[in-house]
Amino acid sequence: MLGIDGLTVEEITMLLDLADAYVDQNRKHDKKSDVLRGRTVINLFFENSTRTQASFELAGKRLGGDIMNMSVSTSSIKKGETMIDTAMTLNAMHPDVLVVRHPDAGAVKLLSEKVTGAVINAGDGRHEHPTQALLDALTIRRRRGRLDDMTVAICGDVLHSRVARSNIHLLTTMGARVRVVAPRTLLPSGIERFGVDVFHDMRAGLTDCDIVMMLRLQTERMRGTFVPSIREYFHFFGLDHEKLSYAKPDAFVMHPGPMNRGVEIDSDIADDINRSVIRDQVEMGVAVRMACLDLLTRDISPN
Ligand code: CP
């Protein structure tokens, strides 16, 4: 599971259908099953994470697997061991799944070519974050009952965002209309080739849209200056009630987290339970990751 790019409508639908069932399991008093009994999952995160790492750990435990969180900051990587040597070392311990996050685009694919178990991309640089797009899709589908025939505005730092890329692939594959709304400095050149409509003005970009998906300014990936100031960025591109009023009256607001309140989103919107589905997204994250772990381990021979 290296990316959404290349997945078919049927594959995405199968993953979402299975995740839907896991949402129900996660709301029960007894959340455990033995789907992953005897299986080993290693979380290998070379970049910080709260939501993705915690939800993969919970997902694996709820499915009855053995889950190990590899602490990169206290590992031999700090003594100069390479990512590939680290992965090969862990691979020798026969994990069934490696869940990997890395700051460099393509690093997870490279690693997947060196190990024998399944590999899940938990975010590689600005390339892809497939389970985020799947959890976003599940959130939308459970709210609206479909993914097609709707307009989704993805707003903010599209240039540095793997979440934007995976969501564009998924939503356009499933038949949604996607807009990207950002200053010119925060859009990759040729973004139109992804089948999206481009806007540089929030009010125009949000007009009559069904869903507003906000993105964080990814300062950790920036080399140079992309916005004049945070104050000016929030003035033109930060989501507040006034700008949201241009969207459909029942439009809802998403954010993958972590959020920078007062930078890309106003706290009033982020905490508005009538407009924001940010907490739903976190809940869906565990179910989607259970579905991925379940499906990927079904194909692995125990020997
Ligand atoms: N959305 C997301 O990937 O959050 P984390 O960086 O906290 O995992």
Side-chain angles (χ1 to χ4, degrees), residues 45 47-54 101 122 129 132 135 162-163 216 255-258 289:
F45 280 56
E47 213 184 54
N48 294 345
S49 169
T50 296
R51 281 147 284 268
T52 312
Q53 179 160 351
R101 171 171 286 191
H129 192 351
Q132 178 69 46
L135 76 87
R162 54 197 177 210
V163 174
R216 182 174 62 89
H255 193 304
R289 283 150 187 149

Side-chain angles (χ1 to χ4, degrees), residues 51-52 101 129 132 163 214-216 218 254-260 264 278 281-282:
R51 281 147 284 268
T52 312
R101 171 171 286 191
H129 192 351
Q132 178 69 46
V163 174
M214 298 308 298
L215 300 172
R216 182 174 62 89
Q218 321 248 311
M254 307 180 78
H255 193 304
M259 261 186 297
N260 289 137
E264 71 269 359
I278 295 167
Q281 289 174 267
V282 176

Side-chain angles (χ1 to χ4, degrees), residues 19 23 50 72-73 120 128 148 160 185 217-218 232 236 242 256 267 289 302:
V23 176
T50 296
V72 169
S73 62
I120 301 179
E128 279 236 34
D148 61 348
H160 300 100
T185 51
L217 275 182
Q218 321 248 311
E232 195 164 325
F236 287 107
E242 190 274 323
S267 269
R289 283 150 187 149

Side-chain angles (χ1 to χ4, degrees), residues 192-208:
E192 300 85 357
R193 287 201 296 273
F194 285 79
V196 299
D197 295 317
V198 177
F199 293 79
H200 302 297
D201 177 84
M202 279 289 272
R203 291 169 186 83
L206 265 52
T207 296
D208 293 333

Side-chain angles (χ1 to χ4, degrees), residues 148-159:
D148 61 348
D149 193 25
M150 67 176 71
T151 302
V152 183
I154 302 179
C155 311
D157 184 2
V158 178
L159 178 65

Side-chain angles (χ1 to χ4, degrees), residues 12 40 47 72 80 87 94 99 127 215 225 231 261 265 297:
I12 292 167
T40 306
E47 213 184 54
V72 169
H94 300 291
V99 179
H127 175 230
L215 300 172
T225 308
R231 198 157 157 244
R261 293 167 183 266
I265 190 164
T297 50

